Amino acid sequence: NQHFEFKKSAGPEETERMIKLDRHYLAAFSEWPSSQDVSYELAHFLLEKNRKTEAVEAFKQHWTRFKGVMKEPQREEALRNLLY
């Protein structure tokens, strides 16, 4: 998981590259079930990098796209993050 690997050590250049990569992946594979994890990890990563406006939008997109297929406790956590 690239977010976990680079969470603390990613510089600005690596951060931008990871965000772009995730966004390209989500643009291409948004309907795939495996994109649920990428979508959620991207939202958390943006929040950790203090990119709050982008994180809020990413959490909204995640909720909108996956609310119908999420199981508990992920569904509750996703809703909590959306409201946070």
Side-chain angles (χ1 to χ4, degrees), residues 14-84:
E14 291 89 359
T15 297
E16 290 305 315
R17 187 177 70 235
M18 289 170 29
I19 292 168
K20 284 181 183 179
L21 180 63
D22 285 347
R23 287 184 174 153
H24 286 303
Y25 177 89
L26 292 170
F29 303 110
S30 64
E31 300 302 316
W32 290 24
S34 61
S35 69
Q36 182 175 343
D37 290 339
V38 175
S39 173
Y40 200 58
E41 290 169 2
L42 173 60
H44 275 284
F45 186 72
L46 290 166
L47 189 59
E48 289 170 7
K49 294 299 180 181
N50 205 30
R51 295 170 73 155
K52 293 178 183 176
T53 303
E54 292 172 271
V56 167
E57 187 58 34
F59 279 122
K60 283 181 188 177
Q61 289 174 358
H62 176 77
W63 178 257
T64 301
R65 186 174 292 143
F66 298 108
K67 66 183 174 187
V69 297
M70 280 189 273
K71 305 280 189 246
E72 296 298 340
Q74 291 85 7
R75 184 177 171 84
E76 180 183 338
E77 182 182 343
L79 182 57
R80 198 174 328 119
N81 283 321
L82 178 63
L83 297 175
Y84 171 71

